[in-house]
Amino acid sequence: MAAFAPSLDAMDALPRERICIALDVGDEMSEPFDARRGGKSRAATAVPALRNWVTHKHRLSRDVEWCLVVLADAADVLLLPTRDREAVCATLDLFAEQRSGDDSERTV
């Protein structure tokens, strides 16, 4: 009886890396990144940095599968695993827009 060996086609279909980005939406993420100076919230600072990292990582290797989850009282999936960098960046942008709306509501 022969042992199971995956075909080369099946191996090519698997991503070389799987990266899951977990975004914290706790109250502390609404606080200023630099408490001494005020300014942007931690979430507003982190999301563009993540977007840049995703773009840079994509330039180095297009064989990465991304997943986005939000951590609050329970984890919620924002984006199922995908290799589409543009979908990852668009989801991060949408998350940032929603968080900036939350921040403005809290400061009023």
Side-chain angles (χ1 to χ4, degrees), residues 38-72:
K40 290 184 176 181
S41 69
R42 292 177 182 179
T45 303
V47 169
L50 283 170
R51 193 180 197 291
N52 288 338
W53 179 67
V54 167
T55 300
H56 180 70
K57 182 74 174 163
H58 181 74
R59 287 182 190 144
L60 296 174
S61 172
R62 293 175 188 247
D63 197 17
V64 177
E65 195 170 73
W66 302 92
C67 175
L68 297 175
V69 297
V70 171
L71 301 176

Side-chain angles (χ1 to χ4, degrees), residues 57-97:
K57 182 74 174 163
H58 181 74
R59 287 182 190 144
L60 296 174
S61 172
R62 293 175 188 247
D63 197 17
V64 177
E65 195 170 73
W66 302 92
C67 175
L68 297 175
V69 297
V70 171
L71 301 176
D73 294 333
D76 290 321
V77 176
L78 287 181
L79 183 67
L80 293 173
T82 182
R83 294 183 186 182
D84 185 356
R85 180 197 61 85
E86 291 177 8
V88 176
C89 290
T91 304
L92 284 169
D93 291 342
L94 181 62
F95 173 80
E97 287 175 23

